[in-house]
Every structure is written in C-alpha cells, then in structure tokens.
Amino acid sequence: MVSTKNADKVIGLPEEISGADPRLANPDLLPTSVAARRWGAWNFAALWMGMIHSAFGFAVIGGMIATGMSAWQALAVVFVANMIQMGLMALTGRVGSRHGIPFAVWARSAFGSFGANVPAFLRGVVAVGWFGVQSYLGATAINVLLGTSFSAWRSWDTVYGGIPINLWISMIIYWAINFALIRHGMETIRRFESWAGPLIFVVMIPLVIWAFGRMDGLGPVFDHASSYSSTTEFLLKGFLPGVALFISASWATMVLNLPDLTRFARSNKAQVTGLFYGLPLATLVFYGMAAIIVSGSQAATGKVLWNPADVLVAIGNPVISIVGAISIAVATMSVNLAANIVSPAYDFTNLFPRWLTFRKAASASILLGFLYMPWKLMQDPDTLFLVLNNVGAVIGPATGILIADYYLVRRGRLAVPELYRTHTVYWAHRGYNYWSLGVLVVSTGLCVAGQFVDAISWTYDYASVLGIAVGFALYLLMLPLARRSSIAEAFRPIGDTGEENANLNQVTERPAAAPSVSHE
C-alpha cells in the first residue's frame, strides 16, 4: 500500500480525499466540487443539439433508406432508438451529477480500483476512432468552404494516400482547431457548445427552403417506398435491427461515459431536461430536415447525396455553400469535443494519472485519431457498420454491469473518497474485481461470437442493446456466488447518494472552472 506521505503529494488533493494513492488520483480525476457544477439545462440541450447536428447524421439516415426503409420508417427508428438511449443516459448521467466523478473513476466501484482500466481503455480507444471519423467529415466541409471561396484550392487535387492534397490540408486545419479549443479547458468547451449546437439551424432552414423550391411535395426521398412487404417483416428485419444499429452508430458510447459531462451539471434534473430536448426531439427535427434537403438535391441533380459537403457543392450557391460549410464544420467539432475528446482524455488519464493530465491525454487522443485512417472507413459502408456493431458488443456489457452494480447493488450510494484509495471496499483482489471482469468477458464474447457463428448471428446484430441486457443480467446472476467468495466485501454498499449544486441553500464557494482541466 502506498504511504499517506507519498499519496498526499497529489497536487490539489482535497482534505476529504487525503491518503489517495497517486496511481488513482490527480487533479483531473478528482470530484468536481458541488459549487463548481454549474452546467444548466440549456447547456446540456445545446450540447446535445451540437452532437446530433453533425455531418454523420446525414450518412446514418441515408444508409437506412438505402437498405430498403422508407424515410418515415427510418425516422421512426431514429426516434425510438434515441428514446431508449435517453432512458439509459438518465441512469448513468445521475452518477456524475450526484457524485461529481468521471466514468473511469465510477467504474472502480464495479470492476476494482485497477480493473476499471479495462472498460475505460476500451471506451477511450472507441472514442479516438470516432474522433477520426467525425473529424474527417468536418474536414470535408472545410474543404468545400475553401474550394468555394478560392478557385485555386480546387486545383490542389493531386491524390496522396487515397485522398487529394487539399483534403489533407483541410484535415490538418480541422485537427489544429480542436487542439486550440481543448487547450482552453472545460469552461471554454461549455461556452462553445452553448452556441455551436444551435448554429446548424442557421444553414439548415434556408437549405430546407431551397429543397422545397426544387420539389413537388417532399420529393423522391419521401416518395421512395419501403422494400419490406409487411409490417411484421419491417419490425423483425428492419425496425429492431435498425434501432440496435442506430444505437451503436450514435450514442452507445456516451451512455457509458456520460458522467464525464454530467459531473459539471447543476442538478440531475438539469441534465435530464437538456437531454430530452437536445436528443430525441432535436434529432427527429434535424434528421427530418436532412432527409428533405437530400430529397431536394436529388430532385435538382438526379443524384442521391448523403454527405452534406456534396449537397453544398450540388446546390451551386456560393453564399449557402460557405455558410453551410462553416456551420457543419463547427457543429461536427462540437460533437468531437464532448463525445470523443473529453472521454478518452479522462480514460487515458485514469490509466496513467502520474504522467498524464487532461490536456496531455486530450492532445494525444487527437493525434491518435489519424491512425484510424477514417477516410478508409468512410469509403466502405459495410466496413463502417462492421466497426459500429463491434463497438456495441464491447461497450454494451460494461454499461449493463455498471447500471446493475450502481442501482441494485450499491443502491445509488458511493463512498467517493474510497475510490481514490487502495485496500478499500472497492479494492477487490489486488485492485481487480474478477467477478465483474469475468462477466464483461463472457458478455462481450457472446455478442462478438455472433459474427462468426450463424446460429447466434442475432447476438451480433443486436449487440449494442443486447450487450447491455446480457451484462446486466449476468452480473445479477453471478452475485450470489460472488458474495460467498473471498472478495465478498467488494459488493457491500457504502457511502452516500451524493449531492447537487441546486440543493445547496447557500453557495459559499466561488464557482470556478472545472478542476479537471485547470492543471498541467
């Protein structure tokens, strides 16, 4: 066990967490103080608007229609999937708003002080991959902007590594802007998200008006009939797999690590209210507008264009193209910052708290996004969807385990200071809860095996949703055995249910930027 003397060298260590092990704590991982949690409902609504108003939204809804759904069926899939995700996020988000801790620290309660590094690392790797995909889409919008503004830009079309040199430069510009924003910390991100999310409507509304001017009614996208012969066939072969795929393709990962953001919430009600207006409702409006715009571009050009950058070029109006490219690039950036940079920054910091800070880990995540070669993933929809299903197979079980552990085993209670110390109730066996990790391995294995064994292929098709259910159920089934084992103490609920800023009668501490990014 690390001595208190060494542990107290953790910079910024609050008195109530004295004795923390430096392998488990640094200023970026410590709980956000109650008074410093000041994100309100609008902050979260704008955050989610920015995350769903992205270039990838066009591609997702287009992919569903391309596989045989009508536009209305695709929109129904999107709405139901988001309602399911909203319910799950309301559960996981409460951990952050009540206890002020990031996902990687919360995971220690179920997986052990060091065992939590397993799901945290997996989540971080997935987030970096998504950062690469979203950044590529954002870079294509910047490329349109520069190509529309400067004719010479379009001539830089020599291809290197499969993409033209002007797009390479656009990607470097986009990556650099992300660097600049993340260096200024979470308070800057909060302000950025407050206007970046709604900004997309600046361009979406005139684009919808333009689309209606090119169509008689709602156009070819909405005239496209479903390829399913009956409602039953659609429900079994289209709707249910579509919901599962959409969850994998959208916010399955955010369900797991939402505490990374809600740890700054003024109250749990604020984050849930913002979630409702910003996720299911805004998604339905945005995707409906996207379908109308694509329908208009098809009527005007005869081509089905699901990349918004291609739509902006097809319109042929320089003003709309420039404003649209800026808006899409900014909105896509807001997705990346909240969903795909904040998360891996905490996850990787949790792995090496003595060497990594939030800023260093975030910068490393941005660089690693290049290694995924997102331009290759986006060339083949089958490859992309293969990646998405595997994401669900890995992330889903960890989510189910944590929800079961927190609500049914811990009863919503955590002894937060003990999460930063060794040899506590959360220590398990040498820092690893082998029961929970075993359930994670079995659940993930079952979902992944479906892509190799035809008899259980359905486990892979529904991995994002099934993984949560399997992880949840298997964790509860193994509890009677675990409570008779040598680490039975690890499953004893201790601590309290936390508190919220909104419940303070009087704030005596001056609100400050979140401590998670205030130190190097």
Side-chain angles (χ1 to χ4, degrees), residues 134-144 167 170-172 174-175 329:
Q134 291 284 7
S135 291
Y136 172 73
L137 291 170
T140 61
I142 289 180
N143 203 40
V144 168
L167 184 53
S170 297
M171 286 196 292
I172 292 171
Y174 193 88
W175 258 258

Side-chain angles (χ1 to χ4, degrees), residues 65 71-72 208 211-225 291-300 304:
I65 293 175
W72 300 112
V208 168
F212 274 122
R214 298 295 186 277
M215 300 182 298
D216 180 16
L218 290 176
V221 168
F222 287 87
D223 291 338
H224 174 73
I292 291 172
I293 293 168
V294 173
S295 191
S297 65
Q298 184 178 353
V304 181

Side-chain angles (χ1 to χ4, degrees), residues 193-272:
E193 297 287 353
S194 294
W195 61 266
L199 176 66
I200 194 67
F201 282 109
V202 172
V203 67
M204 291 293 282
I205 291 175
L207 283 178
V208 168
I209 294 173
W210 170 86
F212 274 122
R214 298 295 186 277
M215 300 182 298
D216 180 16
L218 290 176
V221 168
F222 287 87
D223 291 338
H224 174 73
S226 170
S227 64
Y228 297 98
S229 59
S230 67
T231 301
T232 300
E233 183 185 11
F234 167 65
L235 289 174
L236 295 178
K237 297 183 179 180
F239 181 80
L240 293 178
V243 167
L245 179 61
F246 184 81
I247 292 175
S248 292
S250 54
W251 309 119
T253 53
M254 285 298 294
V255 171
L256 184 61
N257 75 280
L258 194 59
D260 291 343
L261 298 172
T262 59
R263 63 186 300 215
F264 306 114
R266 186 171 182 271
S267 68
N268 192 56
K269 180 180 179 181
Q271 72 95 3
V272 173

Side-chain angles (χ1 to χ4, degrees), residues 41-89:
W42 168 251
N43 295 120
F44 283 99
L47 171 79
W48 282 106
M49 286 180 188
M51 288 204 281
I52 61 101
H53 297 162
S54 67
F56 193 71
F58 276 75
V60 170
I61 194 80
M64 290 183 181
I65 293 175
T67 60
M69 293 186 195
S70 70
W72 300 112
Q73 287 173 336
L75 291 173
V77 167
V78 167
F79 183 74
V80 171
N82 272 338
M83 289 300 294
I84 293 172
Q85 291 180 107
M86 178 189 159
L88 293 170
M89 282 191 242

